[in-house]
Amino acid sequence: MLGVGLLGFVMLNGGYLVTVLGLAAIYGVFCTGLNLFMGYTGQASFGQSAFAAVGGYGTAILCAGHGWDPVAGLVVSMAIAGLLALVVGYPVMRLRGHYLAMATFALGLIVYELSVEWSGLTQGYMGYAGIPPLGFAGHELGTERAQLGALVAIMLFGVWLAERMKSSRFGRALRAIAGSEPAAMALGIPVSRYKLAAFVVAAVYASAAGSLFAHFIGFISPEVFGVPMVVLSFTMLYLGGIGTIWGPVMGAVIASLLPELFRGLKEMQDIAYSVVLILMLIFVPGGLAGLLRRLARKPT
Amino acid sequence: MSAALLSVERVSKRFGGLVANDAISLDVAEGSLTAVIGPNGAGKTTFFNIISGALPPTAGRIQLAGQDITGLSLQQVAQRGLVRTFQLVQLFGNMTVRENVEVGLHMVTRGTLGAALLRPRWMAAQERWVRDEADTLLGFVGLGAFAQTQADQLPYGRQRLLEVARALAAKPRLLLLDEPAAGLDTQESAALADIIQQVNARGTTVLLIEHDMSLVMRIATHVAVLDFGRKIAEGSPAEMRAHPDVLAAYLGGVEEAHA
Amino acid sequence: MPDLIQLAQALVNGVGVGLVYGLVGIGFCVIYNASGIVNFAQGVFVMLGGMLAHTLLTRAGLPMPVAAVLATVIVAAIGVAIQLLVVSPMWQRGTSMFAIILATLAVQIMIERITILSLGDQPRTYDNFTPGGPLRLGPITIDYQLFWVLGGGALMVAALWLFFTRTRIGRALRACSQNAEAAALLGIPVGRMLLLSFALSAALGSAAGILITPTQYTAYSIDGPFGVNGFIAAIIGGFGSAPGALAGGILLGAAQAVAVVLFGAGYRNVAALVIMLLVLLLFPSGVFNATRSKA
């Protein structure tokens, strides 16, 4: 309700908030995917930014470099990211705990490094400019507001798909793995295969978010998909509530509006996100969704 | 004499210099309610972990319904019809009681990512069946009223029952119960014994490890006794109660502990 | 075919960097053994050591030994602050290990950004500790600073060894790593030991950063690579073993140097990642005790 009101207000008034909400919707997509892997399956990936980079650069190269249709670029990038996740994930999903965290973190660093070094493909440190806005079959979405509408629609579609995955045999198996791996195995669930599937799904979401970012802003550089992106997305997940359907979106919107309260340097924003994340982790590990649920459950 | 559903041949397990299981053989007859007992440290849990695929044996062979399952993983053993519970309750604490049982139905249902996204008609029908089946099982163990409760909010005794219901959901040919009555009071333990007997009466072969002698003596049809990693005796509960080695190794110890 | 001289030269330099990885790796182990916590912000200490030493040298005009000691003390204090303000509150609440790792990663970003704001984002370096050099051994040149790195590293390892085997506190810290509950029952203040472990590993990282900076450069962003490579060093050594981490670091540094000669500079971290994955998958309990089962 609040979200609809906010969206309506911004749609009518336009301005800078359109960009802010657009980015929130993009992060909503990213975090919804990450949430499937981290929130529901209970695994850690510190390198999802790598798959967002695949989407972002895929779109930049295909659409800006080769004049592809945005939708085609988006889908092909998603397929590449999924494939990459499959290949990388197959060995990596055997790891647990801090090993898994560090292996995925290293993956993010490697892709970041490649995006800087491989300048023939990515235009290096200076970044890739001139990416066309979102559109379909030759029709560009001319205004920012139209783009925002499209982004919100895509995000809602992503959430809807996540909800379908969650409330099914597939989703139950994922959540069982988070609950107790030995018990899941003892019930015949192929644990590593399900982890891999969740990792691939999360990567496909991340790639879509990267592509959408490229279209929405029109420019990407390696910095966009660096470690701060990982911390920001975790802040959103924990702010909204990890392991809930709407938590990631709530977190994305709130965390995106947060810096508007204390505008300033990019560095200040990153510091603010880090502090918020640490405070959430210490004091409200269930996030806002958990807080709301706890309040709702309390007998009045 | 009925055929052996599970046949364990001279299984050994060494941890470094320690011999936890020393050439243990055991046949579990189809339809029986077999119990493995023994004092603490007798190697019962290791034995169970080997049978269920949680640990590979150092030597020996295990067959389930004539199929060799030696060295298979927990998950592969489960897929062949041997489902276990855990000594330390391993519920999916983040899910509701009903969802826990629904996860138990994983092997008897189908459809993964594609089906979850597309939701074909058979999937909807299956989801209805899953829900009904879970509720039936919850009713059977007396947890019907707790279907919506988050599993880790259940009192301990009921968590044990839920674990049994969840294992039953997987329609095991052989159900392995690892100290199911551990930590239960007399009343809870009696209720559990009742349920185990009913499960067995409905045709599921049960193998259980138990510390609680009275429970074993009351419900088991066949008992094997382990001590110091070896099987020292095997037979009917009445025979075991009178067996001198068993008395020396185990029952004597219990009486001492009670004295 | 790269010529052998090039390869030998790379190996010489790789050993120096590898030693730093090893020291960072030991830092991971010290904290992990005391608490089971993996501090992702380990690389931050290396970065801060170099950055602070540079600042104290150039802006405050302090002589190198003073700057180095002061920088290390400050970094150790920062390590203590991280433990007190971030890790300890979570540890006491029994937060999941993953959330603690996440929090330390947030700490890393926070410190990076504060470094940019206060010291700038430009890479910097300072002179070798001893002027002159490099030493020429035939076609191979050895930078004088490398001797400082090796000597300083050896000194620190020796000091650590003495600390853990000969002092009461060191032995208490080891007791914590073996069994925290038993240690608490014996009256060892486990909480204070945790603080000590953070101070110790921060100081180690800082000293390593100060030693290595003249051979390359330091900047706000070097913490990530040093942290990851230090972690890889610890993995190669079988996570938790300090001598293993040291050997693992040197091995990793050398392997990276060779990879750079063979494939090019862009593949430095790719090589490290591949090595890490191979070790994790083939020797889950470390290369040096591959035969020992994880107990």
Side-chain angles (χ1 to χ4, degrees):
Chain A
M1 271 259 278
L2 216 65
V4 174
L6 183 66
L7 187 63
F9 173 79
V10 170
M11 278 293 200
L12 288 175
N13 287 279
Y16 183 65
L17 275 181
V18 174
T19 313
V20 173
L21 278 195
L23 288 175
I26 291 169
Y27 265 104
V29 172
F30 184 87
C31 293
T32 297
L34 186 57
N35 187 41
L36 282 167
F37 185 64
M38 282 185 26
Y40 289 122
T41 320
Q43 306 301 304
S45 173
F46 286 50
Q48 287 309 100
S49 56
F51 301 111
V54 169
Y57 279 102
T59 283
I61 292 160
L62 293 174
C63 300
H66 296 87
W68 280 36
D69 191 82
V71 175
L74 176 86
V75 171
V76 169
S77 302
M78 283 162 76
I80 295 171
L83 211 63
L84 178 68
L86 196 67
V87 173
V88 174
Y90 185 76
V92 169
M93 286 308 117
R94 288 172 45 187
L95 307 174
R96 282 154 206 266
H98 52 275
Y99 292 126
L100 179 61
M102 194 49 102
T104 49
F105 186 63
L107 173 69
L109 286 184
I110 295 298
V111 170
Y112 171 82
E113 206 136 302
L114 284 178
S115 64
V116 175
E117 299 284 331
W118 199 351
S119 51
L121 192 67
T122 64
Q123 308 198 349
Y125 204 77
M126 297 311 292
Y128 217 117
I131 304 160
L134 214 52
F136 183 61
H139 301 287
E140 278 186 7
L141 294 172
T143 67
E144 268 217 309
R145 286 182 208 190
Q147 288 201 51
L148 174 59
L151 289 176
V152 170
I154 291 171
M155 180 202 76
L156 291 175
F157 182 62
V159 172
W160 181 71
L161 287 180
E163 154 63 27
R164 287 203 140 192
M165 283 185 251
K166 180 211 154 195
S167 53
S168 68
R169 178 174 177 268
F170 177 76
R172 282 194 297 270
L174 296 187
R175 290 158 67 209
I177 292 170
S180 162
E181 274 189 41
M185 283 185 208
L187 294 168
I189 295 172
V191 167
S192 32
R193 215 186 307 161
Y194 272 88
K195 281 186 192 171
L196 186 58
F199 187 60
V200 170
V201 170
V204 169
Y205 270 82
S207 170
S211 294
L212 295 175
F213 182 93
H215 285 302
F216 190 55
I217 302 298
F219 167 80
I220 53 167
S221 70
E223 289 303 316
V224 172
F225 308 110
V227 181
M229 181 190 198
V230 176
V231 172
L232 174 58
S233 57
F234 286 153
T235 310
M236 291 167 168
L237 270 189
Y238 274 88
L239 201 59
I242 192 162
T244 62
I245 277 293
W246 288 102
V249 173
M250 264 162 51
V253 173
I254 295 167
S256 302
L257 291 173
L258 209 60
E260 299 309 303
L261 300 177
F262 43 95
R263 275 209 187 167
L265 294 164
K266 167 90 171 54
E267 280 76 25
M268 286 306 281
Q269 290 180 19
D270 286 340
I271 293 172
Y273 286 136
S274 306
V275 172
V276 168
L277 174 57
I278 292 168
L279 291 177
M280 293 297 296
L281 285 170
I282 296 175
F283 297 109
V284 208
L288 294 178
L291 209 62
L292 289 177
R293 209 184 314 152
R294 230 186 300 163
L295 289 177
R297 210 186 280 162
K298 259 193 194 134
T300 43
Chain B
M1 171 130 181
S2 51
L5 176 58
L6 179 80
S7 163
V8 183
E9 289 167 46
R10 300 187 59 77
V11 157
S12 296
K13 181 70 187 179
R14 276 182 283 278
F15 296 106
L18 182 83
V19 182
N21 281 184
D22 189 4
I24 299 177
S25 295
L26 178 73
D27 276 358
V28 176
E30 180 100 56
S32 72
L33 204 168
T34 304
V36 176
I37 62 171
N40 264 333
K44 297 179 307 243
T45 296
T46 303
F47 185 60
F48 240 45
N49 282 338
I50 290 172
I51 296 174
S52 63
L55 273 179
T58 314
R61 207 157 78 109
I62 307 155
Q63 283 184 306
L64 182 69
Q67 245 187 324
D68 193 350
I69 59 165
T70 321
L72 293 186
S73 70
L74 199 55
Q75 172 194 316
Q76 289 167 322
V77 169
Q79 283 161 352
R80 282 160 183 74
L82 190 159
V83 177
R84 69 168 290 178
T85 64
F86 294 85
Q87 192 178 341
L88 298 168
V89 186
Q90 295 274 348
L91 290 178
F92 308 125
N94 51 337
M95 303 171 83
T96 65
V97 166
R98 182 191 283 127
E99 284 172 330
N100 266 269
V101 182
E102 288 176 345
V103 173
L105 292 161
H106 188 89
M107 283 194 293
V108 292
T109 48
R110 66 196 176 104
T112 55
L113 186 53
L117 291 174
L118 300 173
R119 290 221 179 150
R121 199 167 298 164
W122 61 260
M123 181 80 174
Q126 178 178 281
E127 280 298 298
R128 279 195 298 278
W129 178 81
V130 161
R131 201 187 153 93
D132 291 347
E133 185 71 10
D135 283 343
T136 308
L137 282 160
L138 285 177
F140 172 61
V141 298
L143 290 178
F146 299 94
Q148 304 277 32
T149 310
Q150 193 166 310
D152 56 11
Q153 306 290 321
L154 276 185
Y156 181 75
R158 298 207 154 103
Q159 293 195 4
R160 286 261 170 219
L161 290 175
L162 176 54
E163 222 190 347
V164 172
R166 191 180 64 183
L168 283 177
K171 311 277 177 277
R173 301 189 61 176
L174 176 60
L175 177 65
L176 256 68
L177 300 173
D178 191 351
E179 300 212 14
L184 300 189
D185 63 32
T186 338
Q187 214 178 345
E188 289 171 326
S189 175
L192 183 78
D194 238 35
I195 286 169
I196 296 173
Q197 267 187 318
Q198 283 185 51
V199 168
N200 185 238
R202 291 181 185 192
T204 307
T205 311
V206 178
L207 174 62
L208 71 112
I209 290 189
E210 194 42 80
H211 214 69
D212 182 349
M213 287 295 294
S214 61
L215 179 94
V216 169
M217 291 305 166
R218 195 147 61 83
I219 66 173
T221 57
H222 190 80
V223 179
V225 187
L226 301 190
D227 194 23
F228 293 114
R230 292 162 181 257
K231 187 175 77 179
I232 56 169
E234 190 176 355
S236 72
E239 285 164 7
M240 289 305 101
R241 223 185 312 234
H243 199 291
D245 290 352
V246 177
L247 287 173
Y250 187 59
L251 298 177
V254 168
E255 271 155 25
E256 259 166 44
H258 279 243
Chain C
M1 183 70 194
D3 66 83
L4 286 173
I5 294 166
Q6 223 183 333
L7 215 56
Q9 179 72 59
L11 273 175
V12 167
N13 297 331
V15 167
V17 180
L19 189 67
V20 174
Y21 296 159
L23 291 172
V24 178
I26 293 177
F28 272 110
C29 298
V30 169
I31 292 178
Y32 180 76
N33 285 343
S35 61
I37 290 168
V38 176
N39 172 32
F40 253 46
Q42 209 64 30
V44 158
F45 303 137
V46 179
M47 181 271 282
L48 282 176
M51 293 295 278
L52 287 176
H54 178 267
T55 307
L56 292 171
L57 269 177
T58 56
R59 294 203 195 160
L62 295 176
M64 188 64 219
V66 181
V69 170
L70 198 57
T72 300
V73 170
I74 296 173
V75 174
I78 291 172
V80 168
I82 293 173
Q83 202 279 337
L84 275 182
L85 298 177
V86 178
V87 174
S88 186
M90 298 181 80
W91 206 57
Q92 279 161 9
R93 283 178 170 76
T95 315
S96 73
M97 194 48 50
F98 157 69
I100 295 181
I101 293 178
L102 190 48
T104 59
L105 182 65
V107 166
Q108 168 165 331
I109 293 295
M110 191 173 76
I111 292 179
E112 259 185 32
R113 303 293 128 166
I114 293 173
T115 308
I116 297 178
L117 288 176
S118 56
L119 301 176
D121 61 356
Q122 290 307 306
R124 64 207 58 189
T125 187
Y126 41 81
D127 289 337
N128 284 357
F129 292 180
T130 349
L135 181 72
R136 290 182 192 282
L137 287 178
I140 297 170
T141 63
I142 303 177
D143 199 290
Y144 277 179
Q145 188 65 24
L146 191 59
F147 293 107
W148 277 99
V149 175
L150 296 178
L155 209 66
M156 277 190 271
V157 171
L160 267 182
W161 184 77
L162 285 175
F163 172 73
F164 277 116
T165 54
R166 296 293 157 84
T167 67
R168 253 178 66 94
I169 300 182
R171 279 195 291 239
L173 198 56
R174 279 204 310 173
C176 284
S177 77
Q178 273 145 20
N179 189 336
E181 272 171 47
L185 287 178
L186 287 172
I188 295 170
V190 176
R192 221 174 305 158
M193 289 295 130
L194 248 181
L195 265 185
L196 178 66
S197 72
F198 267 82
L200 203 61
S201 71
L204 267 181
S206 166
I210 294 168
L211 287 170
I212 198 72
T213 295
T215 70
Q216 36 185 358
Y217 67 90
T218 185
Y220 75 93
S221 59
I222 66 159
D223 52 357
F226 270 111
V228 172
N229 287 318
F231 185 85
I232 297 174
I235 288 178
I236 296 176
F239 215 85
S241 150
L246 187 69
I250 293 171
L251 212 65
L252 178 65
Q256 258 188 355
V258 172
V260 168
V261 172
L262 293 178
F263 307 110
Y267 290 88
R268 170 183 291 271
N269 289 333
V270 178
L273 177 75
V274 171
I275 291 170
M276 166 160 94
L277 289 179
L278 285 179
V279 171
L280 280 177
L281 298 172
L282 301 179
F283 311 100
S285 50
V287 171
F288 305 114
N289 49 0
T291 48
R292 207 197 306 164
S293 69
K294 45 179 177 172

